[in-house]
Amino acid sequence: MKFTDGFWMRRPGVTAHYGQEAYDVWADGPTLTAYAPTKRIAGRGDTLNLPMLTVTLSSPLEGVVRVRIDHHQGAVPATGFALPGAVEGSGTADADEAGGTLTSGPLTARVTKGGPWRLDFEVDGVRVTGSGHKSIGYIELGKESTVTAEPAGLVGYSPDGMAPARTYVHEQLDLDVAETIYGLGERFGAFVKNGQSVDMWNADGGTSSEQAYKNIPFYLSSKGYGVFVNHPQHVSFEVGTETVERVQFSTAGESLEYFVIAGPTPADVVRRYTELTGRPPRVPAWSFGLWLTTSFTTEYDEATVTSFVDGMAERDIPLSVFHYDCFWMREFNWTDGVWDERVFPDPDLMLKRMHEDKGLHVSAWINPYIAQRGRMFREGVEGGYLVKRPDGSVWQWDQWQAGMGLVDFTNPQAKAWFQGFVRTLVRQGVDAIKTDFGERIPTDVVWHDGTDPMTMHNLYTQLYNEAVHEVLVQEKGAGEAVLFARSATAGGQTMPVHWGGDNSSSFVSMAESLRGGLSLLSSGFGYWSHDIGGFEGTPDAAVFKRWLAFGLMSSHSRLHGSSSYRVPWAFDDEAVDVTRIFTKLKLSLMPYLYRTSAQTAQTGLPMMRPMFMAFPGDPATQHLDRQYMLGDDLLVAPVFTENGDVTLYLPEGTWTSLLTGAKVEGGRWLKENHGFESLPLYVREGAVIPRGTRTDRPDYDFLSDVELHVYPGGAAERTVLLESTTGETDTVRVTVGDGVATAVSTSGRAYTAKLV
């Protein structure tokens, strides 16, 4: 949100109080405190009748500095995000006549005493950003204010569009020449956020709008630092738009808390951020296979489902998961947890057949909105489990489901009640849960635990997904729990997998889906999926086939649509071939992908990595949003054209096409043309890619059914770590010499190593 009118003026009705100087700086153990009056103090009289901002610095983790800006500290404290990795007192504070420093690992925050206000952040002694004159501000809005803080998709704000609060706190951090900003959640517009105004407000807006299902108040800089704003409520970011030389972030109230996170590389920042807010856990190998769904509003019953599953088998397309979307329940009843007996007369037997006869895992759709006609609504009202209005009535509306209410997950009894429904579903034979929605959360309500409704709007999805994920972990075990979630906030990466939401069936939407995924994966999330072929409408055969290659070279791969089926034979015979080719290709890469997922769980690095994150020293990668690295060694460039033309950039080194074996020198742009059965898929110089010898399923023995493909370049000796689905590992040393590759493992197993 913007408070100024150009560089010199403020908008009507805006009174701004900026911290003008560090008048006093105090070190107290691991804490540094600076007092910033909102005018320069020349004499004792200047200390009267003015606001002062208290800036407190501490460190919750090595390499991370917390900055808290307070106006009135007696205000009701704002709710922050859970920080499971916090180790308070990780920094060392010092103060002298010149000012003060707080040092934590490679990161130093330096406050200069006197004016103008100056707070610098240095990584390994090099300044990466800072807060300067008119950066920290306390803003008051009068009745005549023209400032609006109404994010798109907001429910419960005043109808006149006025800002709902009268006071705000903001910070501005410097942007350097050629510095680019990424992240802030899954956003489908321009990948680089410079020049954008971004509101943290979860909304159900589809992929072709500025709204986002997953708003994460964390951004990542190409200079190798990150910033995390610790407020679940609405936070507004102005990335070079309020002041073009700075990133501004603001929130309503009397305080603002943010963290600066050190690199020195973007990958290092992600490691620290996910250590603080939670790492993505392991997910089972079967989840990486191909998922097929009923689609949304299509007609289907058990016979339809069986025909889809059998049709895939008949066409030699390995299927791993079948998903039942909304209409497994009766219309007007979502969510009530009751299978529609008209189309699924014996769900227990059907699920047993899917597991035992078809060899599949099963996913089912749910949401936290409880339709008035369903049995769970009556239970929810009687138990007091649904969100209420201030007058004590149940909050209801008719959008989505007639008379629907909303589960109040701040009520422990309501959470247990909802979990009971999920537990029944899992014990019935459902392996994964699609937790849809969670964005349309009203603010004109009262929550059981008294949480501020503005805070709960974004935070709701965390409580919703936690409730379901807990059941899956309890019933399936750690490493076996799989959500398929649409909405998220900071910390949501601890409950994978997330998918991109409602896209359209076009090349343009395919590209915007990838931008959204790369943006989310720059925000601490480790896994990501999207609806292959697009959700809205029906793709033509070319879009579907190009999207298949992209989708099956993503961490998770799902065929899903709205009003039309996504079985490949509904398009053309070639679509069947393309589905088979890329499904089997992905399954052959499972030893590599499974080990990459272990790296994601250990470090927080995403499986699909934006190019700027993988190659931080190469300025040509800063704006790339149509290609990515899949793990350390595979470069994927989806084709977004029907005729197969594609432009991509290869960083320095010798790259080898995984599909053809062709060698290409990098450090340059390439223009290629690919048929539907191909795409640019390059292996990095010196890589050893473990390839499976099986292509029928994703969860085979990665220590036995494997051979090592050794690519040119790199050291004569290389090491690769293999891991089985049982957790057993094996370290293999690969030696290359005289045109031969040999492999020796610590376990004594014999492995075939092939030079490519």
Side-chain angles (χ1 to χ4, degrees), residues 495-563:
M495 297 168 288
V497 172
H498 292 81
W499 102 97
D502 296 348
N503 44 21
S504 300
S505 300
S506 67
F507 284 118
V508 172
S509 193
M510 180 177 160
E512 75 196 15
S513 293
L514 177 55
R515 291 196 302 271
L518 294 177
S519 186
L520 183 70
L521 295 161
S522 301
S523 306
F525 283 65
Y527 312 96
W528 177 73
S529 186
H530 44 97
D531 290 344
I532 295 174
F535 177 75
E536 297 288 352
T538 300
D540 62 32
V543 169
F544 183 69
K545 286 179 285 193
R546 296 297 185 194
W547 211 320
L548 279 166
F550 166 37
L552 283 157
M553 288 296 102
S554 300
S555 86
H556 287 76
S557 309
R558 184 178 74 148
L559 293 164
H560 183 60
S562 178
S563 58

Side-chain angles (χ1 to χ4, degrees), residues 16 27 144 177 240 293 331 452 505 668 703 709:
E144 70 276 24
V177 176
T293 89
E331 66 276 9
D452 174 44
S505 300
R668 61 193 180 100
L703 298 185
H709 291 209

Side-chain angles (χ1 to χ4, degrees), residues 591 690-693 700-708 722 750-752:
R691 296 284 297 269
T693 57
Y700 50 90
D701 187 346
F702 303 144
L703 298 185
S704 297
D705 301 316
V706 65
E707 59 185 20
L708 305 177
L722 304 178
Y751 293 99
T752 300

Side-chain angles (χ1 to χ4, degrees), residues 139-167:
I139 307 297
E140 295 179 287
L141 303 184
K143 291 184 179 180
E144 70 276 24
S145 167
T146 59
V147 174
T148 175
E150 185 171 359
L154 184 133
V155 178
Y157 270 32
S158 57
D160 61 4
M162 298 292 287
R166 291 301 174 190
T167 63

